[in-house]
Amino acid sequence: MPPPAPDPDAFRDWANLPELPLAEVLRGLLPCLRSIYAFAATCQPWRLLLRAIAASLVRPRVPPLQLLYPALRLAPFSPLVAPRPIPYRLPVPAEGFTFLSASRGHLILLRWGSSNSLHLVDALAGAERGALQLPSPHFPYHYAALSPSHLLLFHSKHAFFARPFPMYPSPNSARPDWTKHTLPRASSFVTTVLEFRGRVLGLTDRAQILEFHLGSTQSSGSTPPNQTARMLPIAGLPEPTTFDRSNYGPHLVAAGDRLLLVLFMLQPKLGYLSHVHRLNKIGVYVLDSAQMMWEEVDNIGPYTLFVDCAGRSATACVDVGNCGVEENRVYVAVPNCRAWRKANPPGWKVSLNGEGAGLFSREPTVRPPLPSPISVYPPLFF
C-alpha cells in the first residue's frame, strides 16, 4: 500500500515569505559574510530582497574590510565578519595600475603604458566589467566615480569627462562616447562623489560641495555640458588653510539621514617653522540642510565613521557593537599603516605635549607619505 500523500498545508513556500520577516532573518545573520552569502544563495527571491535592502540594512551593519595591497587580502575588522583574511584576486595584474576609487561596488583602476585604459572591476566577484579607452592619453586623471547613470572621470579642477553606465544597456544601443563637461569656475579638484537622498554630490579638496545633474541614460533630453555641475552655497566651512587637503583630505559620508564632513585640522603655523604642518584634531561637521550651513558636532549618536585616507573613501556603520566597534568614534586608516588607528570621538584634539604616533605624531607632514596599502572595501551587493 503506497504511503499517504503529504498534506499540502504541511509545506511552506519559503521563497515567497513576506519582506518583513525575511529582513528580520537577515538582520540576525549580520555581520557574518558567510551567512549573508548563504542567504543570497538560497533562492532568487531572497537574493533580490538582499540587493534591494543592502544599502539600508546590510551595508551600515558590516564593518568595512581592508584591502591589503599588494598582498591582495581582505582583512576583516572582527572575526565575526570573517574568521580570517580573505584572498582577493584581481582579473588584472596589480603592477602598472593606479587605484582611482571604489564606487558603487566597483574598483576603478587606471592603466598607463602602451594601452592607456580605464578598468572597472566588480568588487564583490572580482570580475572585470570592462576596459575603456581614455578620452585622451595626455590628461593627468586623478579620480573616477560611478553615479546611477554615468561613469565620471576627472582630470582637472575645470572639467571632467562622463559617459553612460552601464556601458551597453542593450544590444541595439550605440556605443556611448565620452562627453566633456565643465565645472564651476570657483571649484577645486573633485575627490569624492556620493549619492545622498537621490542627489549626486561631489566634494573637492577645499571641502566645497558640488551637485551633478547628468540625467538618465534613457533620457532623450540631456543637460548642457556647461550646466551639469553647480556649486552649493553652504556656509560655516573653516578656511581651507586650517585643514589638510592633500595627504589626508576632507571626506564626505552619509550617516543615515545626515550628511557629515570629516576634516583633519592643522595646528597654526609657528613662526620660523611656518612650513611645518601637524594634524591636531579630527573635526566632524553635520549639514543643516534647512540653513545650508555646516555645524561642528562632538556626537554622532550610534554611528561610527571609518575613514580611509589613501583610498579617499569613508563609510558610516551602526549597530556593530558586537564586533568591538565603539559608537560615536572615528576610525582612520592612515598611509603606511596596515591597521585602523585607535578610535577617537569627533572633535578630539592631540594633547599639548604631542604624545601619540602615526596620524597625530609630532612628525611634520611636509612630504606626502607613501601610498597606503589599505583601501576600504566598497559596499557589498551595491
Side-chain angles (χ1 to χ4, degrees):
M1 183 175 180
D7 183 1
D9 295 335
F11 292 90
R12 187 179 299 273
D13 185 4
W14 295 99
N16 294 315
L17 286 177
E19 179 177 331
L20 182 59
L22 263 185
E24 288 302 314
V25 171
L26 180 58
R27 185 188 297 269
L29 299 176
L30 299 174
C32 178
L33 290 181
R34 179 177 297 179
S35 298
I36 297 173
Y37 294 157
F39 181 96
T42 302
C43 59
Q44 185 177 14
W46 289 28
R47 187 158 51 252
L48 294 176
L49 173 69
L50 177 59
R51 286 187 176 275
I53 64 176
S56 59
L57 179 63
V58 179
R59 178 183 173 184
R61 291 168 175 81
V62 178
L65 302 172
Q66 298 171 338
L67 177 59
L68 304 182
Y69 183 88
L72 294 182
R73 293 288 189 274
L74 295 173
F77 184 92
S78 164
L80 293 178
V81 178
R84 60 186 64 86
I86 306 169
Y88 189 76
R89 298 181 60 183
L90 286 175
V92 294
E95 297 79 11
F97 284 83
T98 301
F99 173 81
L100 288 184
S101 72
S103 179
R104 292 182 64 84
H106 290 78
L107 303 178
I108 305 180
L109 307 172
L110 179 65
R111 183 177 185 179
W112 295 109
S114 56
S115 59
N116 300 318
S117 53
L118 195 68
H119 294 253
L120 277 72
V121 177
D122 186 302
L124 180 62
E128 186 172 4
R129 290 288 302 274
L132 303 174
Q133 185 177 359
L134 296 173
S136 170
H138 306 296
F139 289 126
Y141 304 104
H142 64 273
Y143 180 69
L146 290 170
S147 77
S149 61
H150 285 76
L151 169 62
L152 288 66
L153 181 60
F154 296 87
H155 68 280
S156 76
K157 59 182 180 181
H158 305 297
F160 68 98
F161 291 96
R163 64 182 294 161
F165 184 87
M167 292 174 286
Y168 309 110
S170 65
N172 298 325
S173 63
R175 181 182 181 127
D177 294 323
W178 293 101
T179 302
K180 189 173 183 179
H181 302 261
T182 58
L183 291 169
R185 185 181 298 273
S187 69
S188 189
F189 293 96
V190 174
T191 59
T192 301
V193 172
L194 174 75
E195 296 170 58
F196 181 69
R197 292 184 176 179
R199 305 167 72 181
V200 179
L201 304 178
L203 175 72
T204 73
D205 63 337
R206 295 172 63 91
Q208 302 160 314
I209 303 296
L210 306 175
E211 183 173 8
F212 296 94
H213 297 277
L214 290 166
S216 169
T217 56
Q218 313 297 331
S219 143
S220 56
S222 59
T223 306
N226 61 344
Q227 300 177 18
T228 53
R230 70 182 185 97
M231 186 175 298
L232 301 183
I234 304 178
L237 186 68
E239 289 294 325
T241 56
T242 62
F243 57 85
D244 184 89
R245 296 170 48 194
S246 56
N247 298 333
Y248 303 97
H251 294 270
L252 198 64
V253 57
D257 60 352
R258 297 197 298 175
L259 189 64
L260 303 180
L261 175 68
V262 181
L263 299 178
F264 294 90
M265 309 305 294
L266 299 170
Q267 288 182 350
K269 296 181 180 180
L270 303 175
Y272 67 94
L273 295 177
S274 59
H275 65 288
V276 175
H277 292 280
R278 296 190 181 96
L279 303 178
N280 74 331
K281 178 184 174 182
I282 299 178
V284 178
Y285 298 77
V286 62
L287 178 63
D288 183 341
S289 55
Q291 302 293 329
M292 292 300 286
M293 176 176 294
W294 290 113
E295 297 180 352
E296 187 172 9
V297 295
D298 57 10
N299 193 317
I300 54 176
Y303 284 91
T304 302
L305 302 184
F306 290 86
V307 179
D308 170 31
C309 296
R312 290 179 294 186
S313 60
T315 187
C317 289
V318 67
D319 297 338
V320 285
N322 58 339
C323 294
V325 177
E326 299 180 64
E327 66 179 33
N328 190 37
R329 291 292 187 271
V330 181
Y331 290 81
V332 181
V334 299
N336 300 329
C337 180
R338 291 181 174 270
W340 293 104
R341 287 292 178 181
K342 180 182 177 182
N344 292 295
W348 182 86
K349 293 183 179 181
V350 69
S351 58
L352 293 178
N353 59 8
E355 292 181 354
L359 181 64
F360 294 104
S361 68
R362 297 187 64 86
E363 299 177 2
T365 58
V366 177
R367 293 177 298 177
L370 296 174
S372 171
I374 295 177
S375 294
V376 174
Y377 191 56
L380 297 172
F381 311 107
F382 183 67

